[in-house]
Amino acid sequence: MTVSLEQLRRCHVAVDLGAARTRVYIKGPGLVVDEPSVAAMNTRTGSLIAVGTLAEQMTGRTPDYIRVVRPVTGGTVVDIEMAQRMLRQLLGEKLRRQLRRKPRLRAAACTPHDSDPLAQRATVETLVGLGARRVELVDTLIAAAVGCGLPVEQPTASMIMVCGAATTQIAVLSLGSIVTAVRIPIGGDAIDHAVIQHLRHHHELILPSQSVRPLQLALSGSGPAAHVPITTEIHGRDVATGLARSVHVDTDAVRQAIHAPLTAVFDGLGKILRDCPPDLVADIADCGIVMVGGSALLPGLDQMLRNATGVPVHIAERPDVCSVLGLGAMLDGEIQPMVLTPLAC
């Protein structure tokens, strides 16, 4: 863990700046913000038009003078000023007044595993610009493991897989620390892109970006024996004519297209298991892998991982908010570390 639990208990607010969604947890009220990390800006005046859900609905539907931006990519802030403006609007005036009453506001934030110092500094500067006097950084893997209830403080192996929009992070934890971990630049966005490219190349159909998720619902289950429709009707735009067109898509073919970007994830899982001590691998074989993150809800993904590794795979109860809830549990003092007292010689 980057900081001690004692330092985290002094924090007042926890922030999870994700590539897809931004979540804010305040000590006391709990989870107060859970909105898409999207902002719409008027390029003529420089003013914000919308943030969160409304801005996401504007994607691909705006005139030339309105630009929809994502100030956070892969858990890293790429536009500090826009991220600050987005957070101010998401918090609202009432919550901002509540936070200003804190004499020395402390904040905690999730950072991707093995993030570089420049990315960490961008996160700190974003929260400092909102009034935080001190910012504590916590590894996303540890926060997510705490949020889904894994016994990370015990001397047993806990394997977690954080499936984000831009990256996938996999780690084995024991005694409150990361034993081995890997971050793979493949996430839900890459899977969406694979589906879009498959439809473009094989059906000459351009699929709207916000129509990918409904298509993925038809892929629930995995393998040839899955109880899903053989074909699914998809509406989009014809590549050649530009007119609206509907096609019947073979769900098995789309499922095979999804396998291509997931190959790197399967390789990362194999690397983690090879690097682990044998005793921890035995624990993982018993307890399995816990999946968290918004992309963990992709239908059939857990079964694909089960087939690739032969290890039980479980999806957390609330996989999309595990990271911020884990940070909140640390802020509220619900986590007690295992105390190792030095033995007298």
Side-chain angles (χ1 to χ4, degrees):
M1 189 178 299
T2 311
V3 292
S4 67
L5 289 174
E6 186 60 34
Q7 291 174 305
L8 288 173
R9 291 192 189 102
R10 299 173 187 170
C11 296
H12 308 95
V13 58
V15 180
D16 179 16
L17 287 170
R21 301 184 74 85
T22 294
R23 300 176 177 92
V24 179
Y25 181 101
I26 295 179
K27 186 182 290 187
L31 186 63
V32 294
V33 174
D34 185 3
E35 293 281 342
S37 304
V38 187
M41 183 181 68
N42 188 330
T43 56
R44 295 174 180 173
T45 62
S47 60
L48 277 184
I49 296 175
V51 295
T53 304
L54 180 57
E56 188 178 47
Q57 293 172 354
M58 294 181 180
T59 304
R61 297 184 172 95
T62 60
D64 293 339
Y65 67 91
I66 296 178
R67 186 163 58 99
V68 179
V69 297
R70 292 182 176 270
V72 184
T73 301
T76 301
V77 178
V78 295
D79 189 338
I80 296 176
E81 181 183 357
M82 186 58 67
Q84 290 174 350
R85 296 174 68 183
M86 181 187 70
L87 276 172
R88 287 193 189 99
Q89 294 300 320
L90 289 177
L91 286 171
E93 183 60 31
K94 183 178 179 181
L95 287 175
R96 291 206 303 271
R97 283 201 307 266
Q98 180 180 348
L99 293 176
R100 279 199 294 265
R101 296 194 196 105
K102 308 295 183 184
R104 292 186 60 83
L105 178 64
R106 288 172 173 250
C110 291
T111 57
H113 176 72
D114 203 19
S115 57
D116 58 85
L118 189 61
Q120 296 179 8
R121 182 176 177 179
T123 302
V124 171
E125 288 187 4
T126 300
L127 298 181
V128 168
L130 293 174
R133 297 293 183 268
R134 184 181 177 90
V135 179
E136 311 289 359
L137 300 180
V138 179
D139 197 302
T140 300
L141 291 165
I142 294 179
V146 172
C148 64
L150 289 177
V152 294
E153 73 281 0
Q154 297 299 320
T156 58
S158 299
M159 190 167 184
I160 188 165
M161 180 174 174
V162 181
C163 307
T167 61
T168 298
Q169 305 174 64
I170 312 169
V172 175
L173 302 98
S174 180
L175 287 174
S177 299
I178 296 175
V179 178
T180 179
V182 66
R183 182 171 61 158
I184 306 161
I186 298 293
D189 291 344
I191 296 174
D192 293 349
H193 182 71
V195 173
I196 292 173
Q197 290 302 310
H198 171 80
L199 293 175
R200 186 185 183 98
H201 293 155
H202 293 83
H203 299 277
E204 298 183 350
L205 192 76
I206 299 177
L207 190 67
S209 58
Q210 298 184 12
S211 300
V212 179
R213 294 298 178 185
L215 171 61
Q216 291 176 351
L217 294 178
L219 305 177
S220 55
S222 179
H227 300 290
V228 295
I230 298 176
T231 60
T232 301
E233 187 176 8
I234 300 297
H235 306 281
R237 190 182 73 182
D238 189 272
V239 173
T241 65
L243 301 177
R245 185 164 64 91
S246 300
V247 297
H248 289 275
V249 179
D250 184 2
T251 54
D252 285 335
V254 177
R255 192 178 297 112
Q256 290 300 320
I258 289 177
H259 269 283
L262 289 179
T263 303
V265 177
F266 298 151
D267 293 342
L269 273 171
K271 180 180 182 301
I272 289 292
L273 294 174
R274 288 193 301 270
D275 293 345
C276 265
D279 292 337
L280 294 183
V281 174
D283 292 341
I284 294 171
D286 293 335
C287 303
I289 305 169
V290 177
M291 296 174 59
V292 301
S295 299
L297 298 173
L298 179 67
L301 180 57
D302 54 340
Q303 185 61 42
M304 292 180 189
L305 295 176
R306 208 172 286 125
N307 296 338
T309 61
V311 175
V313 179
H314 314 284
I315 301 177
E317 185 176 351
R318 299 179 64 186
D320 51 340
V321 295
C322 280
S323 297
V324 71
L325 291 182
L327 268 184
M330 297 178 194
L331 265 60
D332 294 334
E334 298 177 4
I335 306 301
Q336 298 297 328
M338 183 176 180
V339 179
L340 300 177
T341 305
L343 300 176
C345 295

mmCIF file with all atom_site columns, all heavy atoms in Angstrom, residues 199-214:
data_model
loop_
_atom_site.group_PDB
_atom_site.id
_atom_site.type_symbol
_atom_site.label_atom_id
_atom_site.label_alt_id
_atom_site.label_comp_id
_atom_site.label_asym_id
_atom_site.label_entity_id
_atom_site.label_seq_id
_atom_site.pdbx_PDB_ins_code
_atom_site.Cartn_x
_atom_site.Cartn_y
_atom_site.Cartn_z
_atom_site.occupancy
_atom_site.B_iso_or_equiv
_atom_site.pdbx_formal_charge
_atom_site.auth_seq_id
_atom_site.auth_comp_id
_atom_site.auth_asym_id
_atom_site.auth_atom_id
_atom_site.pdbx_PDB_model_num
ATOM 1   N N   . LEU A 1 199 ? -17.902 -5.981  -37.491 1.00 0.00 ? 199 LEU A N   1
ATOM 2   C CA  . LEU A 1 199 ? -19.086 -5.640  -38.274 1.00 0.00 ? 199 LEU A CA  1
ATOM 3   C C   . LEU A 1 199 ? -18.725 -4.843  -39.522 1.00 0.00 ? 199 LEU A C   1
ATOM 4   O O   . LEU A 1 199 ? -19.363 -4.993  -40.570 1.00 0.00 ? 199 LEU A O   1
ATOM 5   C CB  . LEU A 1 199 ? -20.063 -4.837  -37.405 1.00 0.00 ? 199 LEU A CB  1
ATOM 6   C CG  . LEU A 1 199 ? -20.688 -5.602  -36.245 1.00 0.00 ? 199 LEU A CG  1
ATOM 7   C CD1 . LEU A 1 199 ? -21.532 -4.679  -35.393 1.00 0.00 ? 199 LEU A CD1 1
ATOM 8   C CD2 . LEU A 1 199 ? -21.533 -6.759  -36.755 1.00 0.00 ? 199 LEU A CD2 1
ATOM 9   N N   . ARG A 1 200 ? -17.683 -4.020  -39.429 1.00 0.00 ? 200 ARG A N   1
ATOM 10  C CA  . ARG A 1 200 ? -17.282 -3.210  -40.578 1.00 0.00 ? 200 ARG A CA  1
ATOM 11  C C   . ARG A 1 200 ? -16.672 -4.074  -41.683 1.00 0.00 ? 200 ARG A C   1
ATOM 12  O O   . ARG A 1 200 ? -16.964 -3.887  -42.870 1.00 0.00 ? 200 ARG A O   1
ATOM 13  C CB  . ARG A 1 200 ? -16.291 -2.136  -40.125 1.00 0.00 ? 200 ARG A CB  1
ATOM 14  C CG  . ARG A 1 200 ? -15.914 -1.153  -41.229 1.00 0.00 ? 200 ARG A CG  1
ATOM 15  C CD  . ARG A 1 200 ? -14.849 -0.188  -40.746 1.00 0.00 ? 200 ARG A CD  1
ATOM 16  N NE  . ARG A 1 200 ? -14.538 0.792   -41.774 1.00 0.00 ? 200 ARG A NE  1
ATOM 17  C CZ  . ARG A 1 200 ? -15.027 2.018   -41.831 1.00 0.00 ? 200 ARG A CZ  1
ATOM 18  N NH1 . ARG A 1 200 ? -15.865 2.426   -40.890 1.00 0.00 ? 200 ARG A NH1 1
ATOM 19  N NH2 . ARG A 1 200 ? -14.680 2.845   -42.793 1.00 0.00 ? 200 ARG A NH2 1
ATOM 20  N N   . HIS A 1 201 ? -15.830 -5.037  -41.297 1.00 0.00 ? 201 HIS A N   1
ATOM 21  C CA  . HIS A 1 201 ? -15.118 -5.841  -42.290 1.00 0.00 ? 201 HIS A CA  1
ATOM 22  C C   . HIS A 1 201 ? -15.982 -6.953  -42.866 1.00 0.00 ? 201 HIS A C   1
ATOM 23  O O   . HIS A 1 201 ? -15.871 -7.276  -44.049 1.00 0.00 ? 201 HIS A O   1
ATOM 24  C CB  . HIS A 1 201 ? -13.854 -6.427  -41.664 1.00 0.00 ? 201 HIS A CB  1
ATOM 25  C CG  . HIS A 1 201 ? -12.834 -5.394  -41.306 1.00 0.00 ? 201 HIS A CG  1
ATOM 26  N ND1 . HIS A 1 201 ? -11.885 -5.578  -40.323 1.00 0.00 ? 201 HIS A ND1 1
ATOM 27  C CD2 . HIS A 1 201 ? -12.623 -4.137  -41.788 1.00 0.00 ? 201 HIS A CD2 1
ATOM 28  C CE1 . HIS A 1 201 ? -11.137 -4.486  -40.230 1.00 0.00 ? 201 HIS A CE1 1
ATOM 29  N NE2 . HIS A 1 201 ? -11.570 -3.611  -41.106 1.00 0.00 ? 201 HIS A NE2 1
ATOM 30  N N   . HIS A 1 202 ? -16.817 -7.566  -42.031 1.00 0.00 ? 202 HIS A N   1
ATOM 31  C CA  . HIS A 1 202 ? -17.566 -8.738  -42.484 1.00 0.00 ? 202 HIS A CA  1
ATOM 32  C C   . HIS A 1 202 ? -18.992 -8.409  -42.949 1.00 0.00 ? 202 HIS A C   1
ATOM 33  O O   . HIS A 1 202 ? -19.593 -9.189  -43.684 1.00 0.00 ? 202 HIS A O   1
ATOM 34  C CB  . HIS A 1 202 ? -17.627 -9.789  -41.381 1.00 0.00 ? 202 HIS A CB  1
ATOM 35  C CG  . HIS A 1 202 ? -16.299 -10.401 -41.052 1.00 0.00 ? 202 HIS A CG  1
ATOM 36  N ND1 . HIS A 1 202 ? -15.388 -9.808  -40.202 1.00 0.00 ? 202 HIS A ND1 1
ATOM 37  C CD2 . HIS A 1 202 ? -15.711 -11.549 -41.479 1.00 0.00 ? 202 HIS A CD2 1
ATOM 38  C CE1 . HIS A 1 202 ? -14.307 -10.558 -40.106 1.00 0.00 ? 202 HIS A CE1 1
ATOM 39  N NE2 . HIS A 1 202 ? -14.476 -11.622 -40.876 1.00 0.00 ? 202 HIS A NE2 1
ATOM 40  N N   . HIS A 1 203 ? -19.547 -7.292  -42.483 1.00 0.00 ? 203 HIS A N   1
ATOM 41  C CA  . HIS A 1 203 ? -20.925 -6.947  -42.853 1.00 0.00 ? 203 HIS A CA  1
ATOM 42  C C   . HIS A 1 203 ? -21.029 -5.570  -43.485 1.00 0.00 ? 203 HIS A C   1
ATOM 43  O O   . HIS A 1 203 ? -22.147 -5.145  -43.823 1.00 0.00 ? 203 HIS A O   1
ATOM 44  C CB  . HIS A 1 203 ? -21.828 -7.015  -41.615 1.00 0.00 ? 203 HIS A CB  1
ATOM 45  C CG  . HIS A 1 203 ? -21.897 -8.363  -40.988 1.00 0.00 ? 203 HIS A CG  1
ATOM 46  N ND1 . HIS A 1 203 ? -22.734 -9.366  -41.432 1.00 0.00 ? 203 HIS A ND1 1
ATOM 47  C CD2 . HIS A 1 203 ? -21.204 -8.894  -39.935 1.00 0.00 ? 203 HIS A CD2 1
ATOM 48  C CE1 . HIS A 1 203 ? -22.565 -10.447 -40.683 1.00 0.00 ? 203 HIS A CE1 1
ATOM 49  N NE2 . HIS A 1 203 ? -21.652 -10.184 -39.774 1.00 0.00 ? 203 HIS A NE2 1
ATOM 50  N N   . GLU A 1 204 ? -19.886 -4.863  -43.633 1.00 0.00 ? 204 GLU A N   1
ATOM 51  C CA  . GLU A 1 204 ? -19.870 -3.516  -44.213 1.00 0.00 ? 204 GLU A CA  1
ATOM 52  C C   . GLU A 1 204 ? -20.882 -2.617  -43.531 1.00 0.00 ? 204 GLU A C   1
ATOM 53  O O   . GLU A 1 204 ? -21.652 -1.886  -44.166 1.00 0.00 ? 204 GLU A O   1
ATOM 54  C CB  . GLU A 1 204 ? -20.130 -3.579  -45.727 1.00 0.00 ? 204 GLU A CB  1
ATOM 55  C CG  . GLU A 1 204 ? -19.068 -4.362  -46.496 1.00 0.00 ? 204 GLU A CG  1
ATOM 56  C CD  . GLU A 1 204 ? -19.305 -4.350  -47.987 1.00 0.00 ? 204 GLU A CD  1
ATOM 57  O OE1 . GLU A 1 204 ? -20.395 -3.887  -48.396 1.00 0.00 ? 204 GLU A OE1 1
ATOM 58  O OE2 . GLU A 1 204 ? -18.429 -4.797  -48.741 1.00 0.00 ? 204 GLU A OE2 1
ATOM 59  N N   . LEU A 1 205 ? -20.864 -2.663  -42.201 1.00 0.00 ? 205 LEU A N   1
ATOM 60  C CA  . LEU A 1 205 ? -21.807 -1.900  -41.388 1.00 0.00 ? 205 LEU A CA  1
ATOM 61  C C   . LEU A 1 205 ? -21.034 -1.102  -40.352 1.00 0.00 ? 205 LEU A C   1
ATOM 62  O O   . LEU A 1 205 ? -20.148 -1.637  -39.682 1.00 0.00 ? 205 LEU A O   1
ATOM 63  C CB  . LEU A 1 205 ? -22.800 -2.841  -40.695 1.00 0.00 ? 205 LEU A CB  1
ATOM 64  C CG  . LEU A 1 205 ? -24.013 -2.188  -40.047 1.00 0.00 ? 205 LEU A CG  1
ATOM 65  C CD1 . LEU A 1 205 ? -25.025 -1.772  -41.114 1.00 0.00 ? 205 LEU A CD1 1
ATOM 66  C CD2 . LEU A 1 205 ? -24.677 -3.150  -39.060 1.00 0.00 ? 205 LEU A CD2 1
ATOM 67  N N   . ILE A 1 206 ? -21.343 0.181   -40.255 1.00 0.00 ? 206 ILE A N   1
ATOM 68  C CA  . ILE A 1 206 ? -20.749 1.028   -39.232 1.00 0.00 ? 206 ILE A CA  1
ATOM 69  C C   . ILE A 1 206 ? -21.727 1.100   -38.063 1.00 0.00 ? 206 ILE A C   1
ATOM 70  O O   . ILE A 1 206 ? -22.856 1.577   -38.215 1.00 0.00 ? 206 ILE A O   1
ATOM 71  C CB  . ILE A 1 206 ? -20.446 2.443   -39.772 1.00 0.00 ? 206 ILE A CB  1
ATOM 72  C CG1 . ILE A 1 206 ? -19.445 2.361   -40.928 1.00 0.00 ? 206 ILE A CG1 1
ATOM 73  C CG2 . ILE A 1 206 ? -19.890 3.328   -38.669 1.00 0.00 ? 206 ILE A CG2 1
ATOM 74  C CD1 . ILE A 1 206 ? -19.151 3.698   -41.564 1.00 0.00 ? 206 ILE A CD1 1
ATOM 75  N N   . LEU A 1 207 ? -21.283 0.636   -36.913 1.00 0.00 ? 207 LEU A N   1
ATOM 76  C CA  . LEU A 1 207 ? -22.149 0.569   -35.734 1.00 0.00 ? 207 LEU A CA  1
ATOM 77  C C   . LEU A 1 207 ? -21.921 1.799   -34.869 1.00 0.00 ? 207 LEU A C   1
ATOM 78  O O   . LEU A 1 207 ? -20.769 2.149   -34.583 1.00 0.00 ? 207 LEU A O   1
ATOM 79  C CB  . LEU A 1 207 ? -21.849 -0.703  -34.942 1.00 0.00 ? 207 LEU A CB  1
ATOM 80  C CG  . LEU A 1 207 ? -22.804 -1.058  -33.805 1.00 0.00 ? 207 LEU A CG  1
ATOM 81  C CD1 . LEU A 1 207 ? -24.170 -1.431  -34.378 1.00 0.00 ? 207 LEU A CD1 1
ATOM 82  C CD2 . LEU A 1 207 ? -22.250 -2.218  -32.995 1.00 0.00 ? 207 LEU A CD2 1
ATOM 83  N N   . PRO A 1 208 ? -22.976 2.482   -34.437 1.00 0.00 ? 208 PRO A N   1
ATOM 84  C CA  . PRO A 1 208 ? -22.793 3.600   -33.500 1.00 0.00 ? 208 PRO A CA  1
ATOM 85  C C   . PRO A 1 208 ? -22.119 3.130   -32.224 1.00 0.00 ? 208 PRO A C   1
ATOM 86  O O   . PRO A 1 208 ? -22.359 2.015   -31.742 1.00 0.00 ? 208 PRO A O   1
ATOM 87  C CB  . PRO A 1 208 ? -24.224 4.083   -33.234 1.00 0.00 ? 208 PRO A CB  1
ATOM 88  C CG  . PRO A 1 208 ? -25.025 3.590   -34.388 1.00 0.00 ? 208 PRO A CG  1
ATOM 89  C CD  . PRO A 1 208 ? -24.383 2.308   -34.816 1.00 0.00 ? 208 PRO A CD  1
ATOM 90  N N   . SER A 1 209 ? -21.259 3.996   -31.646 1.00 0.00 ? 209 SER A N   1
ATOM 91  C CA  . SER A 1 209 ? -20.469 3.593   -30.480 1.00 0.00 ? 209 SER A CA  1
ATOM 92  C C   . SER A 1 209 ? -21.346 3.202   -29.305 1.00 0.00 ? 209 SER A C   1
ATOM 93  O O   . SER A 1 209 ? -20.998 2.309   -28.533 1.00 0.00 ? 209 SER A O   1
ATOM 94  C CB  . SER A 1 209 ? -19.530 4.733   -30.073 1.00 0.00 ? 209 SER A CB  1
ATOM 95  O OG  . SER A 1 209 ? -20.269 5.913   -29.778 1.00 0.00 ? 209 SER A OG  1
ATOM 96  N N   . GLN A 1 210 ? -22.493 3.870   -29.146 1.00 0.00 ? 210 GLN A N   1
ATOM 97  C CA  . GLN A 1 210 ? -23.340 3.580   -28.001 1.00 0.00 ? 210 GLN A CA  1
ATOM 98  C C   . GLN A 1 210 ? -24.253 2.388   -28.223 1.00 0.00 ? 210 GLN A C   1
ATOM 99  O O   . GLN A 1 210 ? -25.078 2.075   -27.369 1.00 0.00 ? 210 GLN A O   1
ATOM 100 C CB  . GLN A 1 210 ? -24.170 4.815   -27.642 1.00 0.00 ? 210 GLN A CB  1
ATOM 101 C CG  . GLN A 1 210 ? -23.313 6.006   -27.228 1.00 0.00 ? 210 GLN A CG  1
ATOM 102 C CD  . GLN A 1 210 ? -24.146 7.195   -26.774 1.00 0.00 ? 210 GLN A CD  1
ATOM 103 O OE1 . GLN A 1 210 ? -25.344 7.069   -26.555 1.00 0.00 ? 210 GLN A OE1 1
ATOM 104 N NE2 . GLN A 1 210 ? -23.515 8.337   -26.643 1.00 0.00 ? 210 GLN A NE2 1
ATOM 105 N N   . SER A 1 211 ? -24.117 1.716   -29.366 1.00 0.00 ? 211 SER A N   1
ATOM 106 C CA  . SER A 1 211 ? -24.925 0.523   -29.642 1.00 0.00 ? 211 SER A CA  1
ATOM 107 C C   . SER A 1 211 ? -24.140 -0.765  -29.436 1.00 0.00 ? 211 SER A C   1
ATOM 108 O O   . SER A 1 211 ? -24.672 -1.846  -29.682 1.00 0.00 ? 211 SER A O   1
ATOM 109 C CB  . SER A 1 211 ? -25.457 0.570   -31.082 1.00 0.00 ? 211 SER A CB  1
ATOM 110 O OG  . SER A 1 211 ? -26.254 1.709   -31.290 1.00 0.00 ? 211 SER A OG  1
ATOM 111 N N   . VAL A 1 212 ? -22.880 -0.659  -28.982 1.00 0.00 ? 212 VAL A N   1
ATOM 112 C CA  . VAL A 1 212 ? -22.062 -1.860  -28.822 1.00 0.00 ? 212 VAL A CA  1
ATOM 113 C C   . VAL A 1 212 ? -22.536 -2.672  -27.627 1.00 0.00 ? 212 VAL A C   1
ATOM 114 O O   . VAL A 1 212 ? -22.618 -3.902  -27.692 1.00 0.00 ? 212 VAL A O   1
ATOM 115 C CB  . VAL A 1 212 ? -20.580 -1.479  -28.669 1.00 0.00 ? 212 VAL A CB  1
ATOM 116 C CG1 . VAL A 1 212 ? -19.732 -2.721  -28.476 1.00 0.00 ? 212 VAL A CG1 1
ATOM 117 C CG2 . VAL A 1 212 ? -20.118 -0.729  -29.905 1.00 0.00 ? 212 VAL A CG2 1
ATOM 118 N N   . ARG A 1 213 ? -22.846 -2.011  -26.516 1.00 0.00 ? 213 ARG A N   1
ATOM 119 C CA  . ARG A 1 213 ? -23.264 -2.737  -25.315 1.00 0.00 ? 213 ARG A CA  1
ATOM 120 C C   . ARG A 1 213 ? -24.504 -3.586  -25.536 1.00 0.00 ? 213 ARG A C   1
ATOM 121 O O   . ARG A 1 213 ? -24.552 -4.737  -25.107 1.00 0.00 ? 213 ARG A O   1
ATOM 122 C CB  . ARG A 1 213 ? -23.473 -1.754  -24.159 1.00 0.00 ? 213 ARG A CB  1
ATOM 123 C CG  . ARG A 1 213 ? -22.197 -1.068  -23.702 1.00 0.00 ? 213 ARG A CG  1
ATOM 124 C CD  . ARG A 1 213 ? -21.186 -2.066  -23.184 1.00 0.00 ? 213 ARG A CD  1
ATOM 125 N NE  . ARG A 1 213 ? -19.937 -1.432  -22.793 1.00 0.00 ? 213 ARG A NE  1
ATOM 126 C CZ  . ARG A 1 213 ? -18.858 -2.074  -22.398 1.00 0.00 ? 213 ARG A CZ  1
ATOM 127 N NH1 . ARG A 1 213 ? -18.863 -3.378  -22.351 1.00 0.00 ? 213 ARG A NH1 1
ATOM 128 N NH2 . ARG A 1 213 ? -17.784 -1.415  -22.060 1.00 0.00 ? 213 ARG A NH2 1
ATOM 129 N N   . PRO A 1 214 ? -25.572 -3.057  -26.190 1.00 0.00 ? 214 PRO A N   1
ATOM 130 C CA  . PRO A 1 214 ? -26.725 -3.944  -26.453 1.00 0.00 ? 214 PRO A CA  1
ATOM 131 C C   . PRO A 1 214 ? -26.361 -5.182  -27.256 1.00 0.00 ? 214 PRO A C   1
ATOM 132 O O   . PRO A 1 214 ? -26.937 -6.253  -27.043 1.00 0.00 ? 214 PRO A O   1
ATOM 133 C CB  . PRO A 1 214 ? -27.686 -3.025  -27.220 1.00 0.00 ? 214 PRO A CB  1
ATOM 134 C CG  . PRO A 1 214 ? -27.342 -1.659  -26.763 1.00 0.00 ? 214 PRO A CG  1
ATOM 135 C CD  . PRO A 1 214 ? -25.862 -1.675  -26.549 1.00 0.00 ? 214 PRO A CD  1
#
